[in-house]
Amino acid sequence: MAPGRGAPRRALRRRGRAAAPSVQGDEARPGLDVHLRPRRDARLLHRRHGLRRHRDGRRGRPPGRVPAPRRRAPQPGARGQGAARAAAAQPAHVEPGHGHGGRDVPAAPRRRRLPHRAGLRAPRRPPGGPAPRHRPRGLLHRARRAPGAALLLHGDRRVGRPPAPARPAAGRLRPVAGDAGTAQRHLRRPDLHGPARMSAVAIVGAGPVGQTLALLLARYGVGSVLVERWGAPYPLPRAVALAHESLRTLRLAGFDRPDLLEPWGLDGQEFVFQDAAGEVLLRTSFAQESESGHAQMYAFSQPLLEAELADLVSRTPGIEVRRGYSVCGIEQGPDGVRLTAREHDGMDFVPDGRELAIDAAYAVGCDGANSTVRDLLGLPLDADDFQRRWFVVDVDPRPGTVVRPYAAQHLDPSRPTTLIAGGPGRRRFEFMVMPGDDADAMDTDETAWRLLEPWGVHPGNADLVRHALYSFAARVAPRWHRGRGVLAGDAAHQMPPFLGQGFNSGIRDAAGLAWRLALLARGATADLLAGYTVERHGQVREILTETVAAGRLICETDPDLARRRDERMRRRGAEVRPGKAGWPLRCGTLRSGDPAAGTLGLQARVRHAGRTALLDAATDPRGPVLLIAPGLPSPDLPAALRARWAAVGGTVARLGPADGAPHLFADVDGDYGRWFARLGAAAVLVRPDFYVFGSGARLADVPRLLGDFLAATGTDTAVPPLPPDPREQQDAVNS
């Protein structure tokens, strides 16, 4: 019997997968059309496959309002309804509907009542058999039916047959790459008060942190929708310092543009501290190597880096970008969140603008220092114990122009000044705003050139890129998540630029959050968001404390105190001091009592299968990596433990000597041998964000080490395996 409304429930339900998240708004994609009522929460009229009672107490359509036809998007498989097994990331869906408050959105077409055809009638009750579970009544009379994934009739009123492809109407959003045919395409509408489970993440803010998070989630097989109030990326420079571990994370996300980066100290330049007369008080150097396999610090131009990330986002399956919208409401349920967003021009909401309702499993606020998501979640920042105003000027020196010193803190109490590289070929000057300055007259071209003149920079040898007044603040949110809403980047912390760690802390947030959200979307049972808050808040607070201490030293304006400071620094300035390379994690999702836990995992050159590359390029760093010290055999793991380790994307890299067998990861430069000897370990487990979870002094400790990781992440029970890398799939298609 062809499946119809009289068929048994097992023929009508899809099991084992979650409902796809959706976005309702002015634009739509082919799929499940919805109809919204003009109420406060704009809940679906068809939330439970029926209509709610209206003010007159009758169950039926409200006057002048008709439901949209509900249909399933075409899918491959038997009768057009087979569940596809493609591993592409699941993006959020955009569907049509009436906006909140009855905004001007095209009304849904009127739908005819379904005729009772022979093929759709209920089966006869066999003698002595049970009554049929579904009665052949119209869709409008099924209000008591429990919410779930059930087959619905297509427009041609035939069950099991997809509708003919139709040209999208004007204003409808076409399906994004990687959407059709995913294993999580179900007809069940996400219900904040039902058992629906979704794997998509709504990210508010399409800056570098938000885009990096979306790219990392896509690599883990988790789709996302990016909501950004600005119609285009901000074109002017902000951050200029990129740490080695941030570059490692960006490379995992797909960034591969070394021409946009300038390593600090590539030609032996140093970062110097000068007194008011220009005498060097202290020298700091930055190495061209680090534990991440890159130079310790880079200069970059944020607009160019953001443009590259935006291009990667546009080419990555599973990421959808909604620019020109600002979030104005968040509703949380036990299984998801609903974000309400209104059309925005970057400065304010558009009068009578469109609205979107975005459903996802989690919402992440990457929307900057004035975060709307933080306010809506009720997560305050702590008191600001440091605030200074600075005038920031970026210049582009013309060919042949040399600006010296290369990088410096000019500790003049009459006007502290910072000089630093601003990316390949660019320079940045930061001038502290003094009490007697006129703030209104400060932010002008004339003031910029006047302050640049003592440094030999003038309109004849340089071009002015931009200038702006900034308030350097030092604040951090004590709590970074509430329910399924999470903060990252400047939404969670604001950091002065004196150590160059504000941007880099945001990239660390994205790296630490992405793998946790990926595990939660696949069924991890641990409270990984609490671990994210604890470890990120602890590290950021430590960096912030050191940054504020450096800022107070630099911003000293009292001449007597500045003179004593200079004398102390002069006594310490006999040798060049190395710049600080990183800050370990003190707590969080780490192995308790392990001295190696929380340190940064080493990335050095290895040779594997005849190819020499850095470790991340030779392994799959999307999951945890177990490194075995050179010269040791493979650990003996029980079959069940090996299967669970593989399910979370774990890999084992057995290191060997430089002339070792091809199946080993040859330690080309001997860096890993020295690293393991320093740790006193035989095995080290590195998390997907490159921090060490824990180590084992003997190979016999490896099973317990893996078990501790699975227990700490809530993956010690069965979880779906990590899907293939969509980027590698796309490369295979392109080739």
Side-chain angles (χ1 to χ4, degrees):
M1 181 182 66
R5 280 186 288 164
R9 183 179 293 269
R10 61 178 176 271
L12 298 176
R13 301 288 297 267
R14 288 197 175 278
R15 300 181 183 273
R17 290 291 180 181
S22 64
V23 179
Q24 300 107 33
D26 59 297
E27 297 178 330
R29 61 186 308 131
L32 178 64
D33 289 345
V34 299
H35 183 67
L36 299 179
R37 61 177 179 175
R39 297 269 182 106
R40 231 174 7 185
D41 54 357
R43 294 173 186 264
L44 289 175
L45 287 173
H46 298 296
R47 173 64 59 81
R48 301 186 183 276
H49 296 170
L51 295 176
R52 300 180 183 273
R53 294 186 182 274
H54 297 291
R55 292 179 181 177
D56 57 0
R58 293 183 296 107
R59 187 181 299 277
R61 299 187 181 96
R65 302 294 296 276
V66 295
R70 306 182 72 174
R71 62 181 184 274
R72 176 147 185 204
Q75 291 191 31
R79 294 189 177 92
Q81 298 289 347
R85 296 293 183 259
Q90 174 66 40
H93 301 283
V94 180
E95 301 182 352
H98 294 276
H100 300 284
R103 295 193 180 279
D104 186 14
V105 181
R110 184 174 295 276
R111 179 177 180 177
R112 295 186 301 168
R113 182 178 292 275
L114 187 67
H116 290 278
R117 294 172 44 180
L120 298 178
R121 291 176 182 170
R124 293 181 178 272
R125 177 176 181 177
R133 301 181 65 179
H134 297 287
R135 303 183 64 183
R137 301 197 303 182
L139 289 176
L140 299 180
H141 300 284
R142 296 166 60 185
R144 295 184 180 180
R145 188 167 168 184
L151 294 179
L152 300 180
L153 299 177
H154 291 297
D156 57 2
R157 299 188 300 277
R158 294 190 61 184
V159 177
R161 176 177 174 184
R167 184 175 60 185
R172 293 173 67 89
L173 189 66
R174 298 177 183 274
V176 297
D179 172 57
T182 57
Q184 295 179 346
R185 290 275 300 177
H186 286 256
L187 288 172
R188 181 169 59 192
R189 174 68 175 78
D191 188 345
L192 293 180
H193 306 284
R197 296 182 61 189
M198 295 160 282
S199 62
V201 177
I203 303 172
V204 182
V209 177
Q211 292 187 114
T212 301
L213 177 60
L215 290 167
L216 292 175
L217 287 172
R219 289 212 65 183
Y220 296 136
V222 179
S224 61
V225 55
L226 276 165
V227 183
E228 171 58 52
R229 65 189 178 112
W230 293 99
Y234 190 67
L236 297 178
R238 280 95 70 212
V240 293
L242 182 69
H244 58 96
E245 56 185 298
S246 298
L247 178 57
R248 189 177 180 183
T249 297
L250 291 176
R251 289 183 64 86
L252 176 62
F255 176 80
D256 190 17
R257 289 290 304 277
D259 58 303
L260 300 182
L261 308 177
E262 178 184 344
W264 282 15
L266 179 61
D267 299 322
Q269 302 99 328
E270 298 172 344
F271 193 101
V272 299
F273 289 79
Q274 300 177 338
D275 63 8
E279 179 187 353
V280 175
L281 304 173
L282 191 67
R283 290 183 172 89
T284 301
S285 64
F286 290 89
Q288 298 305 300
E289 56 187 19
S290 67
E291 290 185 320
S292 299
H294 307 293
Q296 185 174 335
M297 189 72 79
Y298 294 84
F300 75 103
S301 173
Q302 185 169 335
L304 298 179
L305 186 142
E306 281 196 52
E308 181 65 19
L309 292 178
D311 181 64
L312 288 171
V313 166
S314 68
R315 294 186 285 108
T316 300
I319 305 176
E320 185 168 348
V321 181
R322 302 289 291 173
R323 286 193 174 272
Y325 287 89
S326 180
V327 170
C328 56
I330 296 179
E331 178 187 359
Q332 296 209 46
D335 300 297
V337 295
R338 170 168 294 173
L339 275 67
T340 303
R342 290 176 52 194
E343 197 171 5
H344 204 281
D345 61 7
M347 301 301 294
D348 202 353
F349 289 105
V350 176
D352 298 325
R354 303 179 183 92
E355 289 190 356
L356 297 177
I358 305 169
D359 286 338
Y362 296 92
V364 184
C366 305
D367 48 344
N370 299 316
S371 172
T372 300
V373 174
R374 185 183 65 231
D375 294 340
L376 292 173
L377 293 175
L379 299 174
L381 292 172
D382 59 8
D384 190 355
D385 56 355
F386 179 88
Q387 190 168 18
R388 300 291 189 278
R389 296 198 76 188
W390 284 65
F391 182 50
V392 180
V393 181
D394 288 302
V395 297
D396 189 2
R398 294 172 187 169
T401 302
V402 179
V403 180
R404 299 188 185 280
Y406 173 77
Q409 291 286 0
H410 186 63
L411 304 178
D412 185 354
S414 64
R415 189 179 299 279
T417 303
T418 302
L419 289 75
I420 198 171
R426 288 186 174 180
R427 305 304 305 276
R428 167 166 291 185
F429 292 80
E430 299 172 354
F431 305 96
M432 183 173 169
V433 178
M434 304 304 292
D437 292 330
D438 183 359
D440 295 333
M442 192 77 178
D443 193 8
T444 62
D445 290 0
E446 293 76 12
T447 302
W449 288 122
R450 176 174 57 83
L451 295 175
L452 290 171
E453 185 177 1
W455 302 97
V457 179
H458 51 79
N461 63 6
D463 296 319
L464 193 62
V465 177
R466 70 108 192 208
H467 51 78
L469 283 169
Y470 280 94
S471 293
F472 296 162
R475 307 180 70 185
V476 62
R479 182 176 178 182
W480 292 27
H481 85 100
R482 173 160 288 153
R484 290 173 173 263
V486 200
L487 302 179
D490 286 354
H493 48 78
Q494 300 165 25
M495 193 171 300
F498 302 115
L499 296 184
Q501 293 300 316
F503 176 92
N504 295 291
S505 294
I507 299 298
R508 295 186 192 104
D509 297 344
L513 184 58
W515 67 271
R516 287 177 166 89
L517 290 176
L519 289 180
L520 288 171
R522 289 160 53 207
T525 58
D527 192 358
L528 294 176
L529 295 184
Y532 164 78
T533 293
V534 168
E535 72 179 32
R536 294 301 311 130
H537 177 273
Q539 188 187 56
V540 166
R541 172 55 69 184
E542 182 178 349
I543 298 174
L544 196 61
T545 299
E546 297 184 21
T547 300
V548 169
R552 295 190 188 281
L553 181 143
I554 292 168
C555 297
E556 184 57 67
T557 58
D558 184 273
D560 294 333
L561 295 178
R563 188 180 308 108
R564 279 180 274 180
R565 172 204 61 195
D566 296 347
E567 293 174 356
R568 292 194 302 270
M569 296 182 67
R570 192 176 289 110
R571 289 194 297 268
R572 298 169 51 198
E575 60 183 15
V576 178
R577 297 174 176 270
K580 190 163 185 176
W583 288 262
L585 300 177
R586 308 292 184 184
C587 54
T589 311
L590 304 171
R591 197 182 195 196
S592 178
D594 194 319
T599 61
L600 198 61
L602 177 66
Q603 178 179 221
R605 292 199 309 157
V606 296
R607 184 170 57 252
H608 181 66
R611 174 171 171 253
T612 300
L614 291 173
L615 179 69
D616 292 349
T619 59
D620 186 2
R622 297 183 303 150
V625 177
L626 178 66
L627 300 175
I628 306 299
L632 296 181
S634 297
D636 185 16
L637 301 178
L641 179 60
R642 189 182 303 112
R644 292 199 302 271
W645 176 251
V648 298
T651 58
V652 178
R654 182 184 164 201
L655 297 160
D659 55 352
H663 68 279
L664 300 177
F665 291 82
D667 187 7
V668 175
D669 303 311
D671 293 331
Y672 280 107
R674 292 185 288 271
W675 185 59
F676 274 96
R678 187 171 72 249
L679 296 179
V684 176
L685 195 159
V686 182
R687 303 186 328 188
D689 57 355
F690 311 123
Y691 283 96
V692 172
F693 169 79
S695 62
R698 303 169 301 149
L699 283 183
D701 300 331
V702 170
R704 184 175 179 181
L705 175 62
L706 299 187
D708 289 346
F709 176 81
L710 296 174
T713 56
T715 55
D716 46 349
T717 57
V719 295
L722 182 69
D725 189 346
R727 194 172 66 188
E728 295 178 359
Q729 290 182 323
Q730 188 67 36
D731 293 342
V733 171
N734 295 337
S735 61

